[in-house]
Amino acid sequence: MDVHFQWGTSIFRLLVDPKEVTNGADLRRLRHEHGITLTQVASALGTTTSKVSNIERSIYHDTNFTERYLAWLNEAGFSGAEKAA
């Protein structure tokens, strides 16, 4: 399949059905508010503290990881997590 076609399809989907993007700073704020360490997040999500920190500081962007992070906060019952979405 042509790369340009794939990009066009992806862009069209985002225009037709935009998804809210959680800001890394929101995730960091929630983590701090609930006394959760980078190590706890990294362990729960199977990644490194460096990746979590980079996501929170918006140095690195990974929508799938950010969605998993937010879902983990929601499942763990940390109030306010649903508002970050």
Side-chain angles (χ1 to χ4, degrees):
M1 185 176 281
D2 181 26
V3 171
H4 293 99
F5 178 78
Q6 290 175 341
W7 286 351
T9 302
S10 295
I11 291 169
F12 176 77
R13 284 188 190 133
L14 289 173
L15 290 171
V16 172
D17 185 23
K19 296 181 179 182
E20 284 192 44
V21 177
T22 300
N23 182 320
D26 290 337
L27 294 172
R28 183 180 206 133
R29 178 186 50 78
L30 287 168
R31 181 174 62 76
H32 284 172
E33 284 177 4
H34 296 289
I36 304 166
T37 66
L38 281 173
T39 304
Q40 289 172 310
V41 175
S43 177
L45 299 176
T47 191
T48 64
T49 56
S50 176
K51 180 174 181 176
V52 175
S53 178
N54 287 338
I55 294 284
E56 288 182 347
R57 293 181 293 137
S58 298
I59 291 172
Y60 178 74
H61 300 278
D62 181 337
T63 304
N64 291 330
F65 178 81
T66 302
E67 288 174 0
R68 285 189 326 140
Y69 188 167
L70 186 60
W72 176 75
L73 287 170
N74 284 325
E75 289 169 12
F78 297 113
S79 63
E82 65 280 350
K83 295 176 189 169

